[in-house]
C-alpha cells in the first residue's frame, strides 16, 4: 500500500514539471481516473504501481486545468470593471496602501453602475488580491462595490528567485490589481467571512494588550500566523540561527498543541469515571488532540501551509483514534498523498519540501530498524549509570533530533534556500522547547483569556513576551560566536547533489554501520566552493527581472560586478533582498568586487542597503551622492564609495570595463548623472546606460561617438520618450536592445515611438517583462552565441501565462501596432 501511495504522489508531483498542460476533456478524464483507481485497488505488483502513477498524474492534470480556468481571462487584463464582494483574510497595511484578499461575488463590465445587470457569470466566485489606496480602514467581512483594474497573477522570473506566480495560484488567487478611485465606489451591507472577522477582532485585542511590547509581532505570528509586524531585524536573527521555522505556525507547533490537548484531556478524563465508561482516556485524548489541531489551524486562517500541518496531525492521531497502529511511514505517506490530492501545487513550495523532508528524516533516523542496531554499553557503576542515563536521555530527546534534522536537511536547504545556518543545531536545542512548550501555550491561553479575564490574559502574554526577549538575547549571543552563522551552498552540480544525498543517508545510519564515516566525505563536494564555469576572456551578463527598475550582474572568471540594485517596493520588500541576493547565492557568487549604482533614483538604488547587509562588497561607485540611509549602510559595512567619472577603466580576466559618463567634476543630479559603463570581451561589447536622457546622449556623441559603438545596448531609461534619440542609436548601432521594465507598467515603457525607432534600425528588442531574467555572454566560446537566453523560456512551467504576439507588441518586442495599457 505504501508503494502505491508513493507512486500516486510521484505522479501528482510530476505535473509541476510540465511546461504546458495537455488538453484533456473532462468527460474522458474522469472515467479514465475511475478505471485507474479500480486497477490500482485490484491489481498487484508492478501493474498496481503503474495504475497509481498514472492515476496521480491524471488527477494532477485535472486539478491543474481547473485552476488555470479560474484565472482572470486575458481579455480583462488592464481593463476597468465593477466587482461586488467581501473582504477576507487579514488586511496588510503599508505606508501607502492596504493589501487585501477579496472574494468576488459578481462583476459588471458596463461603464455606469446603474447599467449593471443583476448577475454576470464571466468573472465571479473568485478570490483576488487588491491594493486599496483610499483613506477607509478595511476589515474582514465588509462588502464593497468597487471599480477595479486587474492583471493575471505574475511574478518576477529569476534564477534562485521565489516563484510568486505559483504561490498565488496555490492560494487560489485568480487575479491581482488595485481599486480605482471613483465616487461610485460604495460600501454595502456586511456579511460573510466569519473566521476572518474573528481573527481580525482577536488581532485588535492582542495589539491593544501588547502595546509597547517589543515582541508583539512575533506573538501575532504565533497566534494568528500574521507576520506583518515581525521586524526585518528579528527575521534576520531567526534566519541566521536557523530558528525561523519556530516563528510561523508550523507542523511542529500544531503537533505540540495537539499533544498538549491530548495530555491534559487524558488527565482530566481520568478524574471523571462516567466519561471513562464511554471511551478510554487515551481515545478522549486523541479526540482532544484532533480538535486542538483543527482549532489552532482555523485560528491561523487555515492557510495552505497550515492545512498541510493540520492534515499530518490528523492522519497520525486518526490512526490512534481508530485503534490501529500502522507503521509511522504509512501515516507519513498517507499524509503526503492527501496534501497533494488537496493541492497539487503544494509541491512547488519550499514549506512542503522542508516540512515533509524534516519529518521523513526523523522517521528514517529513529525508525524501529535503528533501535535494533544500538550498540551495547557495559554497565558502569550505579552513580555513573545514573548520570549517563540522564544525559543520554537529554541528548536523545532534544539534541539528537536537531543533529539528525541538520544533516538530513542540508540538501533540501541547498536546493530551496541556497544556504543553511551552522548554528541551527545548538540554537534549536534551546529554542524548540522554549517556544513550543512554553511560549506558544502561553500565547494561546493568554489570547483566550483576553475575552474572559483581560488581566490574566495580559499577564500570560507578558510572560510570553519576556520569554521571547530572553530567546532573542540568547540567539544574539550565539551569532556573536567566532563562527560564520550562514554558509552558502548554491551552485552545486547534479553529481555533487547525489553525493550529498548518499552522504546524508550514511551519516543517519546507526552507529557502527560500516563506512558510515564516508558520509562526511561525500558531503564535502557540495559544501566546498565550486569552480567558475566562465572561461578567461568571457563575461556573463544577467539582466535581472526586477519589474520597473534595473539590476545587472556582470561576472568574469574570478570577479563579479553589480550594476544597480533594483527598486525598493515597500518598507518590507526590495529587489536587493528578494531578487539580487537570491540570484547571487544561486549562482555561487559570495563576493561582489564592485557595485556600480548609476544614480540615486529608487528604481536603481532602492535595493542597495539590503545588498550591503547581505553580501561582502569590495567597493561602490555611484553617479550621485548616496542618500543618508545608504551612507549609513556603507559605513556599517565598512565599504568606501567613489564617484563615477569618465576615463575610469579596469580589466578583469581579460574583460575590459570603461566608464564613459559622467565627465570628471560634473555635479549634475538626476537621470543625466547616470554612470554609463561599457563592457567588452572578445571583441563584443555591451553598453549599460542607466537613465540617461537626450542631453547626456548628445554630450556623449560630442565627446567620443566611436566609443559608444556596442553589440548590445541596455535601453536608456527603460525605453522612455526622453531617451534613445536617433543620433545616439546610430552611434551605438546595436544588434540587440535589452529593456528592463515592469509588466504592463504605468509609464508605458518602452514608449511606442522609442520601440519603433529600434525596429526601424533592425535592432531586436528583448524585454524582461516578457522574458524574465536575460543572460548573454560576451567573448569567444560555444556559450557565447550572440543571443540572450530568457529565464521564462528555459524554465517554462504550465502556470506561467503564455506570451501572445499582442502582449509582446504591447511591451515593445514586436513592431506591430500597440494597444493602450
Amino acid at each position: 500500500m505504501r508503494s502505491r501511495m508513493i507512486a500516486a504522489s510521484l505522479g501528482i508531483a510530476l505535473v509541476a514539471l510540465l511546461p504546458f498542460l495537455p488538453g484533456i476533456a473532462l468527460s474522458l478524464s474522469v472515467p479514465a481516473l475511475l478505471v485507474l483507481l479500480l486497477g490500482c485497488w485490484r491489481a498487484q505488483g508492478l501493474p498496481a504501481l503503474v495504475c497509481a502513477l498514472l492515476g496521480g498524474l491524471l488527477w494532477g492534470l485535472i486539478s491543474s486545468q481547473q485552476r488555470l480556468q479560474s484565472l482572470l481571462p486575458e481579455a480583462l487584463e488592464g481593463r476597468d470593471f465593477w466587482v461586488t464582494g467581501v473582504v477576507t483574510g487579514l488586511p496588510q497595511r503599508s505606508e501607502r496602501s492596504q493589501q487585501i484578499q477579496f472574494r468576488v461575488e459578481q462583476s459588471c463590465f458596463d461603464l455606469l453602475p446603474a447599467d449593471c445587470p443583476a448577475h454576470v457569470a464571466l468573472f465571479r466566485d473568485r478570490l483576488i488580491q487588491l491594493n486599496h489606496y483610499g483613506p477607509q480602514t478595511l476589515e474582514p467581512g465588509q462588502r464593497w462595490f468597487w471599480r477595479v483594474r486587474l492583471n493575471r497573477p505574475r511574478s518576477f522570473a529569476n534564477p534562485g528567485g521565489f516563484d510568486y506566480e505559483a504561490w498565488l495560484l496555490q492560494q487560489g488567487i485568480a487575479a491581482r490589481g488595485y481599486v480605482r478611485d471613483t465616487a461610485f465606489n460604495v460600501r454595502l451591507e456586511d456579511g460573510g467571512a466569519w473566521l476572518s472577522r474573528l481573527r481580525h477582532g482577536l488581532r485588535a485585542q492582542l495589539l491593544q494588550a501588547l502595546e509597547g511590547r517589543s515582541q508583539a509581532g512575533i506573538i501575532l505570528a504565533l497566534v494568528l500566523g500574521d507576520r506583518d509586524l515581525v521586524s526585518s531585524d528579528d527575521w534576520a536573527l531567526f534566519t541566521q540561527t536557523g530558528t525561523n521555522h519556530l516563528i510561523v505556525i508550523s507542523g511542529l507547533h500544531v503537533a505540540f498543541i495537539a499533544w498538549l490537548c491530548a495530555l491534559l484531556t487524558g488527565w482530566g478524563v481520568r478524574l471523571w469515571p462516567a466519561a471513562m465508561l464511554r471511551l478510554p482516556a487515551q481515545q478522549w485524548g486523541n479526540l482532544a488532540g484532533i480538535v486542538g489541531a483543527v482549532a489552532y489551524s482555523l485560528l491561523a486562517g487555515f492557510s495552505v501551509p497550515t492545512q498541510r500541518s493540520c492534515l499530518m496531525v490528523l492522519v497520525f492521531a486518526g490512526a490512534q483514534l481508530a485503534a490501529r497502529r500502522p507503521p509511522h511511514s504509512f501515516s507519513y505517506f498517507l499524509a503526503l498523498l492527501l496534501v497533494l490530492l488537496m493541492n497539487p501545487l503544494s509541491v512547488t513550495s519550499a514549506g512542503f519540501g522542508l516540512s515533509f523532508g524534516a519529518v521523513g528524516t526523523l522517521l528514517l533516523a529513529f525508525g524501529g530498524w535503528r533501535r535494533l542496531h544500538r550498540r551495547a554499553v557495559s554497565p558502569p557503576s550505579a552513580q555513573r549509570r545514573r548520570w549517563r542515563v540522564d544525559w543520554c536521555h537529554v541528548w536523545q530527546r532534544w539534541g539528537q533530533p536537531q543533529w539528525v534534522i541538520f544533516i538530513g536537511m542540508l540538501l533540501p536547504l541547498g536546493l530551496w534556500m541556497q544556504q543553511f545556518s551552522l548554528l541551527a543545531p545548538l540554537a534549536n536545542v534551546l529554542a524548540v522547547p522554549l517556544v513550543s512548550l512554553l511560549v506558544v501555550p502561553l500565547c494561546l491561553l493568554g489570547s483566550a483569556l483576553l475575552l474572559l479575564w483581560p488581566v490574566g490574559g495580559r499577564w500570560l502574554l507578558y510572560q510570553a513576551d519576556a520569554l521571547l526577549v530572553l530567546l532573542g538575547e540568547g540567539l544574539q549571543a550565539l551569532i556573536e560566536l567566532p563562527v560564520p552563522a550562514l554558509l552558502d551552498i548554491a551552485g552545486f552540480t547534479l553529481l555533487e547533489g547525489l553525493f550529498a544525498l548518499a552522504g546524508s543517508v550514511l551519516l543517519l545510519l546507526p552507529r557502527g554501520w560500516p563506512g558510515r564515516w564516508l558520509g562526511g566525505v561525500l558531503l564535502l563536494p557540495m559544501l566546498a566552493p565550486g569552480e567558475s564555469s566562465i572561461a578567461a576572456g568571457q563575461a556573463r551578463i544577467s539582466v535581472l527581472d526586477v519589474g520597473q527598475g534595473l539590476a545587472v550582474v556582470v561576472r568574469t572568471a574570478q570577479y563579479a560586478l553589480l550594476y544597480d540594485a533594483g527598486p525598493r517596493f515597500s518598507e518590507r520588500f526590495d529587489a536587493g533582498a528578494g531578487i539580487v541576493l537570491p540570484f547571487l547565492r544561486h549562482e555561487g557568487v559570495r563576493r561582489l568586487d564592485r557595485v556600480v549604482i548609476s544614480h540615486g533614483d529608487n528604481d536603481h538604488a532602492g535595493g542597495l542597503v539590503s545588498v550591503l547587509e547581505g553580501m561582502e562588497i569590495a567597493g561602490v561607485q555611484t553617479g550621485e551622492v548616496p542618500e543618508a540611509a545608504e551612507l549609513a549602510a556603507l559605513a556599517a559595512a565598512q565599504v568606501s564609495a567613489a564617484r563615477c567619472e569618465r576615463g575610469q577603466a579596469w580589466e578583469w580576466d581579460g574583460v575590459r570595463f570603461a566608464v564613459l559618463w559622467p565627465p570628471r567634476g560634473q555635479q549634475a543630479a538626476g537621470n543625466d548623472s547616470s554612470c554609463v559603463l561599457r563592457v567588452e570581451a572578445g571583441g563584443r561589447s555591451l553598453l549599460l546606460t542607466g537613465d540617461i536622457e537626450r542631453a547626456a546622449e548628445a554630450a556623449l556623441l560630442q565627446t567620443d561617438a566611436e566609443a559608444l559603438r556596442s553589440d548590445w545596448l541596455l535601453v536608456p531609461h527603460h525605453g522612455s520618450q526622453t531617451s534613445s534619440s536617433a543620433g545616439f542609436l546610430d552611434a551605438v548601432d546595436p544588434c540587440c536592445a535589452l529593456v528592463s521594465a515592469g509588466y504592463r507598467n504605468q509609464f508605458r515603457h518602452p514608449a511606442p515611438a522609442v520601440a519603433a525607432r529600434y525596429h526601424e534600425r533592425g535592432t531586436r528588442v528583448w524585454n524582461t517583462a516578457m522574458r524574465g531574467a536575460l543572460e548573454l555572454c560576451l567573448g569567444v566560446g560555444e556559450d557565447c552565441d550572440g543571443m540572450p537566453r530568457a529565464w521564462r523560456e528555459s524554465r517554462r512551467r504550465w502556470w506561467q501565462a503564455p506570451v501572445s504576439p499582442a502582449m509582446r507588441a504591447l511591451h515593445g518586442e514586436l513592431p506591430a501596432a500597440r494597444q493602450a495599457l
Side-chain angles (χ1 to χ4, degrees):
M1 191 64 181
R2 280 172 288 187
S3 60
R4 300 178 192 182
M5 290 189 289
I6 295 173
S9 301
L10 179 61
I12 298 174
L14 286 176
V15 177
L17 300 178
L18 297 178
F20 299 97
L21 291 179
I24 301 178
L26 188 63
S27 58
L28 297 177
S29 57
V30 173
L33 180 60
L34 294 177
V35 171
L36 289 172
L37 289 176
L38 180 61
C40 179
W41 180 261
R42 300 296 298 272
Q44 299 293 329
L46 183 60
L49 296 182
V50 173
C51 288
L53 178 67
L54 294 178
L57 185 64
L58 186 57
W59 173 262
L61 291 174
I62 295 173
S63 177
S64 300
Q65 283 184 338
Q66 291 177 340
R67 287 180 179 270
L68 278 185
Q69 292 171 359
S70 69
L71 294 180
L72 180 76
E74 185 177 349
L76 297 181
E77 278 198 298
R79 176 180 172 184
D80 291 355
F81 60 95
W82 302 96
V83 294
T84 301
V86 181
V87 178
T88 65
L90 296 178
Q92 297 181 0
R93 295 178 173 84
S94 63
E95 295 177 351
R96 300 175 53 244
S97 66
Q98 302 172 78
Q99 187 178 89
I100 60 168
Q101 291 186 5
F102 191 74
R103 175 68 62 179
V104 178
E105 297 173 346
Q106 62 185 48
S107 54
C108 170
F109 304 94
D110 292 312
L111 179 61
L112 297 177
D115 299 330
C116 290
H119 298 285
V120 177
L122 181 60
F123 191 73
R124 58 182 300 182
D125 300 324
R126 313 287 176 87
L127 186 65
I128 63 177
Q129 189 181 82
L130 291 174
N131 286 326
H132 185 272
Y133 297 92
Q136 300 90 349
T137 299
L138 302 180
E139 297 181 1
Q142 293 179 351
R143 294 183 72 248
W144 286 89
F145 179 75
W146 275 330
R147 191 164 183 82
V148 299
R149 179 175 293 183
L150 302 177
N151 287 318
R152 291 165 67 97
R154 195 174 184 88
S155 66
F156 307 119
N158 299 282
F162 175 62
D163 194 341
Y164 190 52
E165 219 165 326
W167 183 87
L168 289 171
L169 196 59
Q170 182 185 347
Q171 305 299 314
I173 295 175
R176 298 178 66 222
Y178 62 96
V179 179
R180 301 282 283 174
D181 185 15
T182 171
F184 292 105
N185 291 338
V186 62
R187 181 175 174 180
L188 306 176
E189 182 180 357
D190 295 345
W194 64 269
L195 180 59
S196 297
R197 293 204 308 269
L198 174 65
R199 298 177 65 226
H200 184 267
L202 180 57
R203 184 180 189 273
Q205 290 191 352
L206 286 172
L207 287 175
Q208 182 179 3
L210 293 168
E211 185 177 2
R213 297 285 172 168
S214 60
Q215 307 301 314
I218 298 177
I219 293 177
L220 283 175
L222 292 174
V223 175
L224 298 171
D226 178 17
R227 292 180 287 176
D228 199 33
L229 296 181
V230 179
S231 68
S232 57
D233 292 338
D234 285 340
W235 194 252
L237 176 64
F238 296 130
T239 300
Q240 289 178 325
T241 54
T243 55
N244 47 0
H245 64 99
L246 296 175
I247 314 304
V248 296
I249 299 181
S250 62
L252 179 65
H253 296 332
V254 175
F256 266 112
I257 291 300
W259 170 79
L260 186 61
C261 291
L263 182 66
L264 295 178
T265 302
W267 287 348
V269 166
R270 287 179 174 87
L271 303 176
W272 188 12
M276 292 281 290
L277 294 176
R278 293 181 177 274
L279 283 176
Q282 185 179 8
Q283 299 293 67
W284 283 111
N286 289 327
L287 280 174
I290 291 175
V291 171
V294 172
Y296 189 26
S297 300
L298 288 174
L299 189 63
F302 214 60
S303 60
V304 173
T306 312
Q307 293 174 20
R308 180 174 61 245
S309 304
C310 181
L311 189 57
M312 292 181 68
V313 172
L314 291 181
V315 169
F316 281 88
Q320 299 292 328
L321 188 62
R324 297 180 179 271
R325 292 188 177 274
H328 290 313
S329 59
F330 179 90
S331 300
Y332 172 79
F333 290 120
L334 178 58
L336 175 67
L337 178 60
L338 291 177
V339 167
L340 290 176
L341 288 173
M342 290 177 58
N343 196 332
L345 270 177
S346 296
V347 74
T348 64
S349 66
F352 174 88
L354 296 179
S355 61
F356 276 103
V359 176
T361 298
L362 292 173
L363 290 178
L364 174 66
F366 297 105
W369 62 271
R370 181 182 178 94
R371 292 193 295 268
L372 296 176
H373 294 82
R374 284 181 178 171
R375 190 169 58 183
V377 180
S378 57
S381 63
Q383 183 69 19
R384 289 182 58 197
R385 182 168 60 250
R386 187 180 65 189
W387 278 98
R388 178 182 293 274
V389 169
D390 288 344
W391 284 110
C392 283
H393 178 74
V394 171
W395 164 251
Q396 291 173 359
R397 179 61 62 90
W398 301 110
Q400 196 173 19
Q402 302 307 325
W403 167 252
V404 164
I405 291 178
F406 177 75
I407 295 298
M409 299 307 292
L410 284 178
L411 182 58
L413 285 171
L415 291 172
W416 288 104
M417 305 298 180
Q418 293 89 47
Q419 62 181 6
F420 68 92
S421 172
L422 295 173
L423 303 174
L426 179 58
N428 280 282
V429 166
L430 304 174
V432 167
L434 180 66
V435 174
S436 296
L437 296 181
L438 293 177
V439 175
V440 172
L442 284 173
C443 291
L444 293 178
L445 187 58
S447 301
L449 282 180
L450 282 178
L451 303 175
L452 305 175
W453 185 27
V455 175
R458 282 195 296 270
W459 185 84
L460 291 177
L461 291 173
Y462 292 165
Q463 306 313 306
D465 179 86
L467 289 174
L468 288 172
V469 170
L470 181 64
L471 173 64
E473 293 174 352
L475 296 179
Q476 190 63 45
L478 282 179
I479 290 181
E480 295 174 359
L481 293 175
V483 177
L486 293 173
L487 179 64
D488 294 333
I489 52 175
F492 54 87
T493 63
L494 175 61
L495 182 60
E496 292 170 345
L498 293 176
F499 281 163
L501 177 62
S504 299
V505 173
L506 277 175
L507 289 176
L508 295 176
L509 291 176
R511 223 182 289 176
W513 193 279
R516 185 169 174 260
W517 60 273
L518 286 174
V521 177
L522 293 175
L523 285 174
L524 290 179
M526 183 186 74
L527 301 178
E531 295 184 359
S532 174
S533 61
I534 306 173
Q538 290 184 353
R540 190 165 298 167
I541 291 95
S542 301
V543 182
L544 301 183
D545 180 12
V546 296
Q548 190 65 21
L550 182 63
V552 182
V553 177
V554 182
R555 289 172 290 155
T556 67
Q558 301 295 330
Y559 297 90
L561 176 145
L562 174 66
Y563 182 89
D564 284 343
R568 184 174 184 85
F569 300 97
S570 68
E571 62 271 18
R572 300 181 59 84
F573 179 69
D574 64 76
I579 298 174
V580 176
L581 289 178
F583 170 80
L584 294 175
R585 286 195 293 265
H586 180 271
E587 298 299 312
V589 177
R590 304 186 179 185
R591 182 179 187 270
L592 286 172
D593 299 280
R594 187 167 303 193
V595 174
V596 178
I597 301 299
S598 62
H599 63 300
D601 284 0
N602 173 66
D603 57 334
H604 294 254
L608 175 60
V609 173
S610 294
V611 174
L612 287 168
E613 294 174 349
M615 180 69 61
E616 180 185 354
I617 296 174
V620 175
Q621 283 184 271
T622 63
E624 284 186 292
V625 177
E627 295 184 355
E630 296 163 354
L631 288 173
L634 286 167
Q638 297 181 349
V639 176
S640 60
R643 294 291 297 274
C644 288
E645 293 181 342
R646 186 172 59 216
Q648 295 172 340
W650 65 94
E651 184 173 320
W652 289 342
D653 302 318
V655 179
R656 291 177 293 279
F657 298 80
V659 177
L660 305 183
W661 186 265
R664 187 181 301 273
Q666 175 176 306
Q667 300 299 322
N671 292 336
D672 278 338
S673 68
S674 295
C675 180
V676 177
L677 180 67
R678 188 174 186 269
V679 184
E680 182 181 357
R684 298 184 177 182
S685 55
L686 165 71
L687 191 64
L688 302 173
T689 57
D691 276 357
I692 60 170
E693 299 182 347
R694 290 194 185 95
E697 291 175 355
L700 281 167
L701 291 174
Q702 295 176 359
T703 303
D704 189 357
E706 288 297 325
L708 295 174
R709 188 170 300 278
S710 300
D711 299 284
W712 288 277
L713 171 65
L714 185 70
V715 174
H717 201 184
H718 320 287
S720 169
Q721 293 184 5
T722 62
S723 307
S724 297
S725 59
F728 181 77
L729 295 186
D730 291 337
V732 179
D733 191 24
C735 67
C736 288
L738 310 177
V739 180
S740 180
Y743 178 73
R744 302 185 70 95
N745 62 85
Q746 60 179 327
F747 307 103
R748 295 175 172 84
H749 290 164
V754 171
R757 215 171 289 153
Y758 283 93
H759 294 308
E760 290 168 359
R761 289 164 172 76
T763 302
R764 186 171 179 181
V765 178
W766 297 66
N767 195 331
T768 58
M770 291 287 93
R771 312 278 184 164
L774 300 172
E775 182 178 289
L776 59 92
C777 178
L778 300 180
V780 179
E782 295 181 359
D783 295 337
C784 301
D785 55 6
M787 294 302 293
R789 291 177 175 82
W791 181 251
R792 279 190 179 272
E793 296 174 0
S794 62
R795 299 296 293 268
R796 168 78 187 169
R797 293 295 181 263
W798 60 262
W799 56 82
Q800 296 172 348
V803 179
S804 63
M807 196 59 65
R808 291 183 60 193
L810 188 67
H811 289 84
E813 288 198 344
L814 294 179
R818 307 182 70 202
Q819 304 171 0
L821 286 177

